[in-house]
């Protein structure tokens, strides 16, 4: 490349050409500079981009990881008949097929459970009451008789025997639901604002965009089989946080004021999406603002262009470095965005944040309780779920209540609970009474409202602790001893995959095998982190204490919370502000003092 270009200009041109190559590949054209009869030109079909990316990797001296070889040997969508043959024989998969069946939403989770788990796809976390009741029927007939609400506003159904797995998948299809692509190297469930379309604070209704992206993925096979998993979220700036900054792509609704200009042209005031990229909290990174804004109806095209660049240039040799974050780290944002622009064939609008108005403030308890909707006389009712678990009996009653007393929608949230929306004032008490009759409530303690836990060792082979059980033990210990007057999020995750996103919790616990003697014996326990956050308080928690036995975790949580309440600078100082104001050693000394006095 000519020495007349600066280093930044060279990176931009490299990215732009890369994007153009990706665009040509997607249209079935040979790469620029490639002979029509070359090997790359002979590839065709929806898997072409992936095969070419694999070939480039090998040609450059790289060694594909096993998962890439498995995808190349047999695409999971071409293996459904073989999957059904296994099911008829009652056979569970070997590792390569366990990976392939995850393209269909099934995870063989032995040795934790000798069965499958099925993770659904529910765009924006919203499904109809009759679909929810139907999912309960499937969970009862073909699985363990319960479901879990996940941190991606989704449902998981567990304890599915091999012979029942196809029946459950096909039953979901009969309900207008799917699990396709909810696992492995695919774009996962599309999240959006839980109160989309009903929130007085929101800037935009995310439902149309989440649904459009959901169906865009489902109907394009070439968007499956990425270098690694990929998460996308749409935040409409409503009351309930969407945690879009924990995603590979975060579309954040913002209001642009008067006077903004891009490349000499005025930028129209109004509601835009701001683009954030590269979130992966398990690797201690939140999505970073790119400076790009886009009109809401551009979101799908921009998301696809980003994914296409990732398909072409993501790492296929190291599973630990294959997420989008690592491509961004290697290239830098300028080169990456130039590649996206090359794919789109146009420039993206950049805008200084000085022209963007602050996001409406979250209500960290808006996912629990009765709240006024934007529509006069209507309410949403946030139902508290014990760390996300629902029995099929509870699911059926909730479905019936949503249909009889609400608008028929059930809205799952990233906080492992659900909302019943469209409830008239005169029916609120009926909803609350029905919830109470099945052992649930729209009221809970502040502590339980912020308690998040992954599946844990009861259902995941990677987990080092029983997170759901330990979370409930923390609540049972702390509630009689300490009353919280401000929201605090406590996240328990079982392993390094960080499904419960422990790094962004006010208090974050990650499962660990805690040594108990010199012979190497261990017991389940946790490493503790403090001071994590999301949104305007975004940041990673710092390690507070390692190797805490699970049985000691509740008392330590109490001591940490009591230290905050005792030593906060003002009555309204949040936990995250308190934790960040002090060095870890100072926090440890305060907690020790509290513990000694207890």
């Amino acid at each position: 490349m000519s020495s007349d270009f600066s280093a930044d200009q060279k990176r931009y041109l490299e990215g732009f050409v890369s994007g153009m190559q990706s665009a040509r590949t997607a249209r079935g054209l040979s790469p620029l500079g490639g002979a029509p009869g070359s090997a790359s030109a002979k590839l065709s079909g929806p898997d072409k981009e992936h095969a070419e990316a694999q070939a480039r990797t090998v040609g450059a001296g790289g060694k594909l990881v096993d998962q890439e070889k498995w995808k190349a040997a047999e695409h999971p969508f071409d293996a459904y008949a073989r999957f059904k043959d296994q099911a008829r024989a009652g056979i569970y998969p070997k590792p390569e097929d366990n990976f392939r069946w995850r393209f269909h939403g099934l995870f063989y989770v032995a040795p934790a459970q000798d069965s499958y788990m099925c993770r659904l796809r529910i765009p924006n976390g919203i499904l109809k009451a009759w679909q929810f009741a139907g999912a309960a029927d499937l969970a009862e007939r073909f699985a363990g008789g319960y479901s879990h609400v996940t941190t991606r506003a989704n449902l998981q159904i567990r304890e599915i025997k091999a012979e029942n797995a196809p029946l459950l998948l096909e039953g979901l299809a009969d309900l207008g639901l799917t699990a396709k692509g909810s696992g492995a190297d695919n774009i996962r469930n599309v999240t959006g604002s839980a109160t989309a379309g009903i929130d007085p604070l929101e800037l935009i209704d995310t439902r149309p965009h989440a649904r459009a992206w959901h169906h865009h993925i489902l109907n394009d096979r070439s968007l499956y089989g990425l270098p690694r998993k990929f998460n996308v979220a749409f935040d409409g700036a409503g009351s309930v946080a969407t945690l879009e900054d924990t995603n590979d792509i975060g579309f954040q609704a913002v209001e642009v004021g008067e006077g903004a200009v891009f490349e000499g042209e005025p930028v129209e005031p109004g509601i835009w999406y701001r683009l954030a990229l590269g979130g992966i909290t398990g690797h201690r990174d939140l999505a970073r603002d790119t400076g790009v804004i886009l009109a809401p109806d551009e979101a799908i095209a921009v998301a696809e262009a980003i994914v296409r660049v990732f398909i072409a240039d993501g790492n296929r040799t190291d599973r630990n470095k294959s997420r989008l974050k690592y491509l961004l780290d290697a290239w830098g944002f300028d080169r990456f965005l130039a590649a996206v622009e090359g794919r789109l064939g146009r420039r993206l609008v950049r805008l200084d944040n000085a022209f963007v108005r602050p996001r409406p403030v979250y209500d960290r308890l808006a996912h629990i309780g009765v709240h006024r909707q934007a529509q006069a006389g209507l309410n949403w009712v946030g139902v508290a779920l014990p760390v996300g678990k629902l029995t099929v009996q509870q699911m059926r009653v909730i479905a019936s209540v949503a249909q009889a007393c609400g608008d028929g929608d059930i809205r799952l949230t990233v906080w492992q609970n659900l909302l019943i929306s469209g409830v008239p004032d005169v029916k609120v008490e009926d909803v609350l009474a029905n919830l109470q009759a099945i052992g649930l409530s729209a009221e809970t303690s502040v502590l339980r409202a912020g308690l998040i836990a992954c599946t844990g060792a009861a259902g995941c082979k990677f987990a080092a602790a029983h997170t759901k059980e330990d979370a409930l033990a923390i609540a049972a210990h702390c509630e009689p001893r300490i009353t919280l007057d401000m929201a605090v999020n406590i996240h328990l995750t079982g392993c390094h995959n960080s499904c419960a996103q422990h790094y962004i919790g006010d208090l974050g616990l990650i499962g660990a095998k805690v040594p108990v003697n010199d012979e190497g014996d261990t017991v389940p326990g946790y490493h503790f982190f403090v001071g994590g956050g999301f949104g305007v308080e975004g940041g990673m928690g710092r390690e507070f204490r390692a190797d805490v036995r699970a049985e000691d975790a509740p008392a330590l949580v109490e001591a940490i919370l009591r230290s905050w309440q005792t030593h906060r600078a003002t009555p309204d100082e949040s936990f995250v502000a308190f934790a960040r104001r002090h060095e870890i050693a100072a926090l440890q000394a305060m907690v020790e003092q509290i513990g000694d006095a207890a």
Side-chain angles (χ1 to χ4, degrees), residues 201-222:
L201 294 183
E202 73 179 5
L203 297 178
I204 196 169
D205 183 349
T206 61
R207 291 175 297 179
H209 310 122
R211 284 181 57 81
W213 181 233
H214 167 81
H215 288 291
H216 190 81
I217 298 161
L218 289 181
N219 289 287
D220 191 338
R221 168 167 158 155
S222 69

Side-chain angles (χ1 to χ4, degrees), residues 118-177:
C118 181
R119 182 183 295 150
L120 279 61
R121 296 188 73 94
I122 303 171
N124 213 112
I126 302 174
L127 70 169
K128 296 297 182 183
W130 58 269
Q131 292 176 312
F132 199 62
D137 292 342
L138 294 174
E140 182 175 65
R141 185 176 179 187
F142 300 126
Y146 62 94
S147 68
H148 287 148
V149 179
T150 78
T151 54
R152 290 203 65 76
N154 201 357
L155 284 178
Q156 289 184 171
I157 298 173
R158 308 189 72 89
E159 298 184 42
I160 306 161
K161 294 301 181 186
E163 56 269 26
N164 288 334
L167 299 173
L168 186 134
L169 290 183
E170 292 165 11
L172 290 173
D174 291 341
L175 293 170
L177 297 171

Side-chain angles (χ1 to χ4, degrees), residues 12 119 135 189 192 354 357 411 453 460 492 494 511 521 553 590:
Y12 178 85
R119 182 183 295 150
N189 191 48
R357 292 172 183 161
R411 297 164 175 258
C460 176
L492 288 81
D521 294 327
M590 293 179 205

Side-chain angles (χ1 to χ4, degrees), residues 334-373:
D334 287 345
R335 180 181 172 188
F336 184 85
L337 290 173
V340 173
E341 290 170 328
R343 178 73 180 86
L344 290 167
R346 60 180 173 82
R347 287 275 280 162
L348 292 168
V349 176
R350 274 91 166 160
L351 191 66
D352 189 280
N353 281 338
F355 294 98
V356 176
R357 292 172 183 161
R359 185 200 189 282
V361 178
Y362 303 114
D363 178 351
R364 291 179 64 176
L365 297 175
H367 62 294
I368 299 294
V370 180
H371 299 268
R372 289 282 185 188
Q373 294 184 188

